[in-house]
Amino acid sequence: MPTDFKLPDVGEGVAEGELVKWLVAEGDTVEEDQPVAEVETDKAVVDVPSPYDGTVATLHWDEGDIVPVGDVFITYNVAGEDAEAESGGEPGGAEAGGSAADAGGAEGREKPESTDAAEPEAAAEKAAVSETAGRTFAPPSVRRLARELDVDIEVVDGTGPSGRVTEADVRRHAEGGEASAGEAGGEAGAAEAAVTKVTEEADETADAGGAAQAAGAGTGAPAKAAEREQTLAAPATRKTADDLGVDLNAVPAVEERDGEAFVTEDAVREYAEAKEAKAADVEARPETPAEGERETTVPYRGVRRTIATKMAESKYTAPHVTHHDTTAIPDLVDVRSRLKAKAEERGVKLTYMPFVLKAIVAALKDHPELNAELREDEEVIVQKHYYNIGIAVATDAGLMVPVVKNVDQKGMLELAQEVNELAQKARDRTISVEEMQGGTFTVTNFGAIGGEYATPIINYPEVGILGLGAIEERPVVEDGEVVARPTLPISVSIDHRVVDGSDVAQFGNEVLEYLNNPELLLLE
Amino acid sequence: MVVGDVSTGTDVAIIGAGPGGYVAAIRAGQLGLDVTLIEKDAYGGTCLNVGCIPSKALITAADRAYEAATSEHMGIYADVSVEMSEMVGWKDGVVDQLTSGVEKLCKANGVNLLEGRAEFVNDSRLRVVHGGEGQGSENVDFEHAVIATGSRPVQIPNFEFDGEHVLDSTAVLDLDHIPDSLVIVGGGYIGMELSTVLAKLGCDVTVVEMLDDILPGYSSDLERPVKKRAEALGVSFQFGESAANWEEVGEGVLVTTDSEDGSGGRYEADAVVVAVGRQPVLDTLNLEAVGLKPNDQGRLDTDHQGRTDVDSIFAIGDVAPGPMLAHKASKEGQVVAEVLAGEPAAMDYQAVPAAVFTDPEIATVGMTEEEAEEAGFTPAVGKFPFNASGRALTTGHSDGFVQVVADEDSGFILGAQIVGPEASELIAELALAVEMGATLEDVAATIHTHPTLSEATMEATEHALGHAIHTLNR
């Protein structure tokens, strides 16, 4: 008859051990007390003796796995009638240890004991569901995620209530987390560190105290049990200790009274929390490798994928050259601040964008090669005599580029209003496809978030994009003196197949001239 | 104009604009596919035009008239008269609003609408025959086709629908007056919904049912309150009889029935309504051209993504396996659209809720106690009667109960059965619970609004846990 052998506490109060080597194979016949595996704890490598005479049916772990104490380790086909009595003996012994601890005897064992109790219970609960009807319980969103990540949800271990499969369970499975628990085991890492960093003994994780402390390091000293015969405490504190399942003799004493250790209620609670935290830590570790917490998988589709495709197309098709320049714009700042109030009276929020759009269009008129499109198949470059300027807008869904049509034919306030409306629509995702099509040139205002220069990627098949840096006071030389002036840095990327460096430099000069002398825009 | 072999190309051709087809079309349009939606009758299909929506409109209207006339116990005395043609006119307005909404939504999502009846030429081409004489036909070349042609009422021998003496459910929903008496053949959910409505409007209804009970497929504790109520409304039941023939008698009909013991019956009425079920519509599609054949149930077998045996052709709704329910068709439509757009969608739902709009309503989702046991669970069942619900008593309708079925060991909710007021609405919470893998504890620990009928759901889960407050625990 098959009998499960759970990994016993092979050290003094350890919670888990690394399976170094199996000493038997499935199908082997073993005798009682014959070593079946080498398990390394934080203290030592120990041989695990077989509790039964019989044959090995299943080895449940792989070498290198971190095996929690109390988890099923080996399944035997036990010889003889007394097998069941014996198999009952193991966990019974563990329980006896537990009650001994309650009685104030083996305090040192208490922590791992409580951990043990939690583990098999959870495992049993899971088994109860999975064995009943072969149905996996998981919310629809998680089932969908499993398909997206190509995970068979039937084989995922659920950590949710009653073993329900959660999103994290599926992600962990997808990343191979369940299999690589050994690698991720924090204690194994700490142990290695201890070997390689012998000189750094002060290093907390490599503390010579070993992994047991390392595991509790986050929770500090209270997790370490005190060992006393007697403890003084108020009745309320004793009740709290009872309620929390804490042995008062194990709680570190706050002070001494009449030569006896005295424990307060706070100390009991702190000790219980630390114990719980450690239990949770130990319990969580084999199934929650560091990878699961350090990485998040975000679906690659929708707007993100569209952006990616367009960026790759542009960057791999058009050889980019980016031209950087800057100019002082005190007059523009002045003009805009004066007009802003007027615009507000008419219900329009006036930003710098309309001025920039006007300056760009004025410069584009003199440099039609930047308001163009290369049609390679037709062997022509199409220069456009209409000016539809795209404006890159950062939205929650990603980058979108609404287009302001016929900028040359619109007034400043009209532009201001349209830009604001389009940007809002893009953010609300109410923008239509038409409103994002037909652009001839693009502006990106990365400076709104911060930064001086960038290398914008052209909104292909356009051939030019102008990036605006942040308008800030920067040192400027005037008449041989360094003075602080508001400046506007620009970065213009062009498709070098169509536009040459000298063109873009001249274009840049012209744009900056308009911005430096905004009154010139009146002539446009 | 005769259109010759003009062909248009499309990514997805969807045949039938019912709740399966139009939902598939809209979702596919949202996902950027080029979609052509072909409909021969009316956008919205059976559900919106001659099924769920119009029947619910008339049920509501009949309820209102009936309640107004029968609330003396609340101190309400009213003399109610029903103008049937106006009631039907109001119902038609609701239908129009919904169907034109469907058309607008399709267009707004870039769906090409094409009117006509589609048949397969091969596995990548449909011929669409336009309605009316001499309007010709055109070809639609598709990458993928979705069959969503739905179902039609089953006819029985000797009872050909004529719109005057022998009516189908569609004709009943368009009556211009309330008949004095009707024989309704079929005690399934359509027959029972129609019986209840007409009885409330003052019609003398006789239900002829071949089996020995109403609502086959529902357990007796669920159908009992419905039958009791129908009888109280004056509906008479003739079980174990099948409709054999009919003849015109004066202005009305005389229906003769057979029964196993050879006795049979004769029932006179203004007209006879045949509501014995619905059958999938696949015979108009020329399926032979693509090598598809309906299975024994007259459906097309599909895989977990709705694909038929022909890779380019999908089937959803009433022509696919499973219950003939609009919401199941819609879900399948969404899944197929997502599959066609390359997304990893699948028909992975755990349960399809179902509702019968009788008085009281019946609604179910997931497993019954017996089904749970057969599936290998140890069922824990909790039940809460509406006569212990404060809210139910205040509505004057306290028949029925909420029953939940869960797995004893894990507490996972596996199914639920409700008969009672607003059962059709109440079932939604338990459908969510079943899909989410919620436990009894999850629902029991959720605060439910007081005083509402939904508290009965909470109490039923508590009952299963052995600690309901307002009913005795076992």
Side-chain angles (χ1 to χ4, degrees):
Chain A
M1 64 191 69
T3 302
D4 288 340
F5 167 44
K6 294 171 183 167
L7 182 65
D9 182 356
V10 289
E12 277 295 293
V14 300
E16 59 191 18
E18 179 181 345
L19 173 60
V20 178
K21 200 174 168 191
W22 286 116
L23 301 175
V24 293
E26 289 179 3
D28 282 4
T29 305
V30 291
E31 290 173 13
E32 190 174 344
D33 289 335
Q34 175 186 338
V36 290
E38 281 179 14
V39 171
E40 183 175 353
T41 69
D42 48 275
K43 297 191 173 91
V45 175
V46 292
D47 286 344
V48 178
S50 171
Y52 314 118
D53 288 337
T55 48
V56 176
T58 313
L59 301 176
H60 288 279
W61 301 81
D62 292 330
E63 289 174 3
D65 283 352
I66 301 291
V67 184
V69 167
D71 271 21
V72 174
F73 192 53
I74 298 174
T75 301
Y76 286 93
N77 284 320
V78 176
E81 282 293 321
D82 56 347
E84 282 211 278
E86 285 209 4
S87 76
E90 266 311 304
E95 272 165 34
S99 50
D102 284 343
E107 295 91 344
R109 286 203 175 176
E110 199 183 339
K111 286 177 290 165
E113 221 66 88
S114 65
T115 316
D116 293 355
E119 283 271 354
E121 205 175 286
E125 215 171 348
K126 274 177 225 169
V129 184
S130 56
E131 281 168 15
T132 42
R135 176 180 153 189
T136 301
F137 288 85
S141 54
V142 171
R143 300 203 294 267
R144 166 143 190 148
L145 179 72
R147 287 197 303 274
E148 277 172 6
L149 300 178
D150 204 17
V151 167
D152 178 5
I153 200 156
E154 306 289 333
V155 302
V156 177
D157 286 336
T159 62
S162 293
R164 178 165 59 202
V165 177
T166 67
E167 185 179 331
D169 296 335
V170 170
R171 291 195 189 284
R172 199 178 304 128
H173 194 92
E175 286 158 17
E178 287 180 348
S180 66
E183 205 184 321
E187 290 187 73
E192 265 169 47
V195 175
T196 53
K197 292 187 180 178
V198 277
T199 52
E200 299 176 23
E201 286 191 359
D203 185 323
E204 203 184 291
T205 56
D207 191 305
Q213 272 90 342
T219 53
K224 197 177 178 197
E227 294 185 28
R228 290 186 300 272
E229 295 291 327
Q230 235 184 333
T231 303
L232 291 181
T237 308
R238 289 192 186 280
K239 177 160 192 322
T240 303
D242 273 355
D243 290 348
L244 297 174
V246 167
D247 174 12
L248 270 185
N249 288 328
V251 178
V254 178
E255 57 189 88
E256 286 204 348
R257 287 188 186 179
D258 305 330
E260 293 278 3
F262 180 79
V263 170
T264 63
E265 189 165 340
D266 282 348
V268 169
R269 289 191 188 281
E270 201 178 332
Y271 177 77
E273 274 168 27
K275 217 174 76 165
E276 242 174 58
K278 188 185 170 189
D281 185 38
V282 169
E283 187 176 6
R285 206 174 307 123
E287 293 185 5
T288 315
E291 282 91 335
E293 291 162 359
R294 287 165 56 190
E295 295 182 354
T296 305
T297 308
V298 177
Y300 175 58
R301 53 169 190 256
V303 176
R304 185 76 257 153
R305 195 161 57 191
T306 307
I307 293 170
T309 311
K310 296 205 70 170
M311 291 299 167
E313 182 190 22
S314 176
K315 197 78 184 187
Y316 296 148
T317 310
H320 282 56
V321 167
T322 307
H323 174 82
H324 301 293
D325 205 348
T326 187
T327 189
I329 53 159
D331 291 348
L332 178 61
V333 170
D334 184 43
V335 166
R336 183 256 181 176
S337 68
R338 277 184 287 136
L339 292 181
K340 195 180 171 192
K342 291 279 173 205
E344 238 157 58
E345 283 172 20
R346 301 196 202 175
V348 178
K349 187 179 166 229
L350 185 64
T351 63
Y352 288 99
M353 189 56 84
F355 297 93
V356 172
L357 291 177
K358 280 293 184 189
I360 288 172
V361 169
L364 284 176
K365 282 182 174 168
D366 291 339
H367 298 280
E369 66 278 2
L370 272 90
N371 198 45
E373 177 184 340
L374 171 61
R375 293 188 188 152
E376 270 192 291
D377 303 346
E378 301 169 32
E379 299 185 349
V380 292
I381 296 168
V382 182
Q383 294 188 348
K384 299 171 180 177
H385 305 304
Y386 53 96
Y387 302 91
N388 298 342
I389 311 292
I391 296 172
V393 176
T395 73
D396 290 345
L399 177 69
M400 294 197 192
V401 187
V403 176
V404 184
K405 305 271 162 67
N406 302 316
V407 171
D408 55 324
Q409 296 165 21
K410 288 175 181 165
M412 203 68 92
L413 287 181
E414 206 177 343
L415 285 176
Q417 192 153 8
E418 196 171 334
V419 168
N420 295 343
E421 280 173 12
L422 286 172
Q424 193 54 46
K425 278 188 183 174
R427 291 193 193 100
D428 297 345
R429 301 205 61 181
T430 54
I431 196 156
S432 68
V433 177
E434 290 75 33
E435 286 169 318
M436 295 199 286
Q437 284 172 342
T440 59
F441 190 91
T442 295
V443 183
T444 173
N445 184 14
F446 59 82
I449 296 160
E452 202 165 353
Y453 295 108
T455 56
I457 297 180
I458 295 163
N459 191 9
Y460 192 80
E462 294 167 18
V463 298
I465 182 167
L466 185 145
L468 300 168
I471 296 174
E472 276 172 14
E473 287 208 331
R474 294 187 180 84
V476 169
V477 179
E478 277 178 11
D479 304 328
E481 300 278 328
V482 175
V483 291
R485 291 278 181 268
T487 62
L488 173 58
I490 61 167
S491 303
V492 191
S493 294
I494 45 100
D495 181 347
H496 209 334
R497 296 176 307 172
V498 180
V499 184
D500 288 335
S502 60
D503 298 329
V504 67
Q506 285 172 20
F507 170 78
N509 287 346
E510 203 173 325
V511 170
L512 292 182
E513 193 184 350
Y514 280 113
L515 296 174
N516 185 239
N517 304 296
E519 68 270 19
L520 287 177
L521 289 173
L522 293 174
L523 302 177
E524 286 303 315
Chain B
M1 185 182 76
V2 175
V3 182
D5 264 1
V6 176
S7 286
T8 44
T10 188
D11 290 349
V12 185
I14 299 173
I15 309 165
Y22 86 72
V23 167
I26 289 173
R27 174 57 55 86
Q30 287 170 346
L31 294 170
L33 296 171
D34 177 28
V35 188
T36 301
L37 180 61
I38 305 160
E39 170 59 49
K40 77 177 168 63
D41 291 327
Y43 295 108
T46 298
C47 168
L48 265 62
N49 290 283
V50 293
C52 328
I53 296 299
S55 63
K56 261 80 268 175
L58 291 190
I59 286 168
T60 304
D63 277 350
R64 192 164 300 178
Y66 182 80
E67 297 262 316
T70 58
S71 297
E72 289 90 353
H73 60 291
M74 293 181 182
I76 299 170
Y77 298 88
D79 191 11
V80 178
S81 73
V82 172
E83 185 45 67
M84 192 64 185
S85 59
E86 287 175 31
M87 190 184 275
V88 167
W90 167 74
K91 177 265 296 179
D92 288 342
V94 173
V95 168
D96 286 348
Q97 189 181 341
L98 285 170
T99 53
S100 68
V102 166
E103 206 172 329
K104 279 192 209 115
L105 281 172
C106 286
K107 285 179 180 159
N109 283 286
V111 175
N112 308 307
L113 299 174
L114 192 55
E115 288 183 26
R117 181 178 54 76
E119 59 185 42
F120 285 99
V121 176
N122 55 45
D123 62 7
S124 64
R125 173 174 284 191
L126 284 166
R127 176 186 300 278
V128 178
V129 183
H130 299 301
E133 280 285 307
Q135 290 212 37
S137 63
E138 66 184 286
N139 292 333
V140 175
D141 290 335
F142 60 82
E143 294 284 318
H144 294 100
V146 181
I147 301 174
T149 42
S151 59
R152 62 167 83 94
V154 170
Q155 296 215 26
I156 52 175
N158 300 331
F159 288 81
E160 207 160 301
F161 298 128
D162 62 9
E164 192 189 349
H165 299 104
V166 182
L167 310 178
D168 60 4
S169 54
T170 305
V172 175
L173 298 173
D174 266 336
L175 288 172
D176 57 3
H177 67 286
I178 302 163
D180 289 336
S181 57
L182 281 177
V183 170
I184 295 185
V185 180
Y189 79 95
I190 297 174
M192 286 311 299
E193 287 183 11
L194 294 177
S195 304
T196 313
V197 169
L198 288 158
K200 282 181 180 171
L201 292 175
C203 175
D204 194 358
V205 177
T206 303
V207 173
V208 173
E209 167 61 47
M210 208 162 65
L211 304 173
D212 56 8
D213 212 342
I214 60 165
L215 298 173
Y218 289 96
S219 65
S220 62
D221 54 343
L222 286 174
E223 55 86 2
R224 200 176 305 122
V226 174
K227 190 161 72 182
K228 211 175 89 189
R229 178 92 175 115
E231 279 167 350
L233 290 168
V235 176
S236 71
F237 291 98
Q238 305 299 332
F239 291 116
E241 295 182 22
S242 56
N245 217 328
W246 69 279
E247 60 190 78
E248 257 186 271
V249 174
E251 295 284 288
V253 295
L254 172 67
V255 178
T256 52
T257 63
D258 292 339
S259 58
E260 271 187 24
D261 60 18
S263 57
R266 297 160 65 84
Y267 309 104
E268 269 189 58
D270 289 6
V272 55
V273 177
V274 178
V276 294
R278 301 182 62 83
Q279 62 188 14
V281 176
L282 288 171
D283 50 1
T284 61
L285 288 164
N286 191 29
L287 289 176
E288 301 77 33
V290 290
L292 279 178
K293 244 168 105 176
N295 63 20
D296 294 345
Q297 285 82 46
R299 317 280 189 102
L300 291 173
D301 290 324
T302 53
D303 69 7
H304 67 293
Q305 294 187 318
R307 196 178 284 103
T308 66
D309 295 338
V310 177
D311 275 355
S312 61
I313 301 175
F314 292 68
I316 59 175
D318 293 355
V319 297
M324 288 189 177
L325 293 169
H327 43 274
K328 174 250 187 193
S330 296
K331 177 70 190 170
E332 290 178 340
Q334 289 183 10
V335 169
V336 165
E338 287 168 12
V339 168
L340 294 179
E343 295 192 7
M347 316 279 183
D348 71 345
Y349 46 79
Q350 297 291 351
V352 181
V356 183
F357 291 79
T358 42
D359 183 2
E361 295 179 350
I362 294 176
T364 58
V365 67
M367 298 180 185
T368 61
E369 183 177 0
E370 295 73 33
E371 286 164 344
E373 204 158 350
E374 274 165 36
F377 294 102
T378 310
V381 178
K383 194 168 179 177
F384 188 80
F386 279 116
N387 63 21
S389 155
R391 183 59 185 136
L393 290 171
T394 65
T395 66
H397 299 284
S398 54
D399 281 350
F401 56 85
V402 175
Q403 177 169 289
V404 293
V405 178
D407 177 39
E408 174 92 59
D409 300 333
S410 61
F412 284 130
I413 294 175
L414 304 169
Q417 298 80 37
I418 305 176
V419 56
E422 307 294 344
S424 58
E425 301 287 343
L426 292 172
I427 201 68
E429 177 186 5
L430 288 157
L432 179 68
V434 171
E435 282 298 333
M436 291 294 294
T439 61
L440 290 169
E441 186 68 42
D442 290 334
V443 176
T446 299
I447 298 178
H448 286 60
T449 323
H450 180 76
T452 65
L453 299 171
S454 72
E455 290 170 291
T457 301
M458 173 181 71
E459 292 263 14
T461 56
E462 289 182 317
H463 188 242
L465 291 167
H467 55 68
I469 300 293
H470 295 98
T471 189
L472 287 178
N473 296 292
R474 279 170 284 193

